[in-house]
């Protein structure tokens, strides 16, 4: 069994990434799993090259700091040839209509001028990421479900048209924290690239800042403690964050807390505790250039060994080489 997932260095890693994805990856690894920094995905909208390079290193350090085995991590662009080649082959079995229907493309392109073509095609790059390594489980947050569905469709289509080479992957959603919301605007999901960071807790935020952001989280005027994501999204979000940190259910927690203020302090305390060591280890790793470079190079070698046979098989079946 192989689980595979990626995280895009389009900003600093935030609490939604941590609870919905990275921490989960670290808890459930098996020796064949792969977790990577998808830096190619960070170029689908205007980006700053120096910042991208720094965020890629920072994100890699966070994956390690959270406890993912160094043998299982890599940086996507270190295998540019493999990922780009596989993407091309898969673009040739994906229709324009399928790409255009992706919700993320619709959301991110709406009202924008100068939309990069890569924003349209990037789900196929994600499909290539998954299929290259024969992953059968893809643990991601709910926002990526449609892309994993596309991976299933394209894997089956290629296998039927050209011959069995791809494993058809399965989506694995987290039991809790599938969609952590922005603390300042609980109608939106918490995102690295949010324009206003008041409602986004970053994994490397210092404790006093975390305290402040959670203390100012938007709730509601009902003064009622219940787990009701539709009726009370702000409160439900806080309960979900607490649930993801403690392993309890949001509904049970709602019964244990007496008012909004004590909910907020419980959440702040749990999050600060959860992130304390991660922050410390990340800073140490970023400072140790040689070690981080060594882990990165070894990860790239291992990933290449894994990717090559399947890539070569797919190229041959498609009539190349
Ligand atoms: P991204 O920030 O798009 O690179 O996402 C990396 C991983 O974190 C993916 O598996 C996402 O589904 C997950 N993720 C991102 N934001 C959230 C959120 N607000 N709540 C839960 N999971 C999230
Ligand atoms: N596109 C994903 C995101 O933005 C990250 C990602 C890239 C990914 N490649 C992947 C996730 C492959 C799972 C599998 O969140």
């Amino acid at each position: 069994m192989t689980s595979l997932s990626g995280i895009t260095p389009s900003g600093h890693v935030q609490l939604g990434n941590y609870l919905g994805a990275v921490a989960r990856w670290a808890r459930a690894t098996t020796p064949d799993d792969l977790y990577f920094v998808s830096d190619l995905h960070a170029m689908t909208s205007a980006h700053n090259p120096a910042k991208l390079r720094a965020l890629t290193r920072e994100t890699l350090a966070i994956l390690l700091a959270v406890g993912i085995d160094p043998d299982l991590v890599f940086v996507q662009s270190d295998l540019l040839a493999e990922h780009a080649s596989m993407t091309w082959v898969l673009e040739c079995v994906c229709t324009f209509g399928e790409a255009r229907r992706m919700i993320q493309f619709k959301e991110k392109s709406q009202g924008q001028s100068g939309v990069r073509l890569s924003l349209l095609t990037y789900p196929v790059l994600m499909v290539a990421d998954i299929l290259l390594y024969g992953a059968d489980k893809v643990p991601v947050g709910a926002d990526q479900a449609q892309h994993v569905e596309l991976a299933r469709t394209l894997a089956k289509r290629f296998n039927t048209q050209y011959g069995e080479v791809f494993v058809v992957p399965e989506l694995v959603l987290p039991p809790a924290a599938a969609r952590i919301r922005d603390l300042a605007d609980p109608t939106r999901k918490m995102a690295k690239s949010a324009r206003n960071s008041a409602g986004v807790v970053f994994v490397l935020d210092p404790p006093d800042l975390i305290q402040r952001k959670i203390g100012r989280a938007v709730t509601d005027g009902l003064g009622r403690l219940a787990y009701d994501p539709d009726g009370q999204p702000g409160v439900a979000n806080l309960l979900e964050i607490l649930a993801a940190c403690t392993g309890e259910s949001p509904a049970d927690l709602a019964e244990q807390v007496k008012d909004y203020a004590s909910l907020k302090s419980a959440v702040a305390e749990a999050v600060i505790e959860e992130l304390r060591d991660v922050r410390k280890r990340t800073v140490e790793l970023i400072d140790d250039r040689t070690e981080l470079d060594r882990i990165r190079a070894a990860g790239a070698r291992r990933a290449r060994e894994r990717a090559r046979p399947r890539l070569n098989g797919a190229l041959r079946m498609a009539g190349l080489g």
Side-chain angles (χ1 to χ4, degrees):
M1 201 193 77
T2 299
S3 289
L4 170 141
S5 203
I7 178 161
T8 304
S10 50
H12 298 286
V13 178
Q14 39 84 10
L15 187 63
N17 299 132
Y18 176 84
L19 295 176
V22 182
R24 216 155 48 95
W25 304 343
R27 271 197 300 272
T29 46
T30 68
D32 282 337
D33 292 353
L34 286 169
Y35 297 100
F36 65 100
V37 182
S38 46
D39 51 351
L40 299 175
H41 290 241
M43 298 168 65
T44 55
S45 55
H47 77 287
N48 172 313
K51 212 161 146 193
L52 173 58
R53 192 169 288 114
L55 284 169
T56 298
R57 285 180 66 77
E58 181 181 298
T59 306
L60 179 66
I62 289 177
L63 295 186
L64 297 163
V66 174
I68 298 177
D69 184 337
D71 285 352
L72 310 180
V73 298
F74 70 95
V75 173
Q76 188 187 29
S77 64
D78 291 343
L79 286 95
L80 179 59
E82 287 78 5
H83 286 252
S85 308
M86 189 59 101
T87 301
W88 180 251
V89 172
L90 292 166
E91 278 185 13
C92 299
V93 290
C94 183
T95 68
F96 174 55
E98 280 168 330
R100 195 181 37 188
R101 279 197 294 277
M102 293 291 124
I103 294 160
Q104 271 207 350
F105 173 72
K106 289 198 221 164
E107 282 176 0
K108 292 190 177 172
S109 61
Q110 203 172 35
Q112 302 288 319
S113 60
V115 171
R116 293 186 177 182
L117 181 58
S118 55
L119 187 66
L120 177 70
T121 57
Y122 115 93
V124 188
L125 173 61
M126 177 160 162
V127 173
D129 300 340
I130 298 169
L131 300 189
L132 258 181
Y133 300 96
D136 48 13
K137 299 255 184 301
V138 186
V140 285
D143 59 340
Q144 297 297 321
Q146 202 187 19
H147 298 157
V148 179
E149 195 51 45
L150 183 68
R152 294 173 59 80
T153 305
L154 299 188
K156 288 184 204 157
R157 189 174 299 154
F158 188 99
N159 286 349
T160 311
Q161 286 184 2
Y162 301 109
E164 286 286 329
V165 64
F166 294 127
V167 174
V168 180
E170 236 172 74
L171 167 74
V172 186
L173 289 176
R179 195 172 189 278
I180 298 294
R181 302 157 194 260
D182 190 298
L183 297 173
D185 177 2
T187 60
R188 307 167 70 95
K189 76 164 185 176
M190 191 179 282
K192 294 187 207 97
S193 47
R195 230 170 287 131
N196 179 355
S197 64
V200 182
V201 171
F202 295 104
V203 167
L204 299 183
D205 276 348
D208 56 330
L209 185 57
I210 297 180
Q211 183 98 46
R212 233 175 308 138
K213 286 177 176 174
I214 294 175
R216 287 189 196 144
V218 168
T219 50
D220 53 56
L222 299 174
R224 184 172 66 109
L225 264 158
Y227 179 57
D228 175 8
D230 293 329
Q232 297 181 268
V235 172
N237 192 36
L238 291 170
L239 288 167
E240 281 175 26
I241 294 172
L242 191 57
C245 294
T246 60
E248 293 180 65
S249 84
D252 287 350
L253 288 167
E255 287 175 12
Q256 295 165 27
V257 187
K258 64 176 198 311
D259 53 28
Y260 291 177
S262 40
L263 173 60
K264 285 181 176 178
S265 39
V267 173
E269 196 182 318
V271 170
I272 289 168
E273 228 14 78
E274 184 78 33
L275 297 180
R276 192 184 302 280
D277 286 351
V278 175
R279 180 162 177 255
K280 184 165 160 278
R281 279 197 295 269
T282 304
V283 173
E284 286 166 6
L285 273 160
I286 291 174
D287 285 346
D288 191 348
R289 247 208 125 75
T290 334
E291 177 63 359
L292 199 57
D293 287 347
R294 188 192 64 73
I295 292 173
R296 179 170 170 171
R301 268 197 305 280
R302 224 171 285 114
R304 187 165 294 111
E305 274 170 32
R306 283 276 291 279
R308 271 288 157 186
R310 194 167 272 99
L311 173 61
N312 291 338
L315 293 174
R316 242 187 344 269
M317 283 175 181
L320 303 171

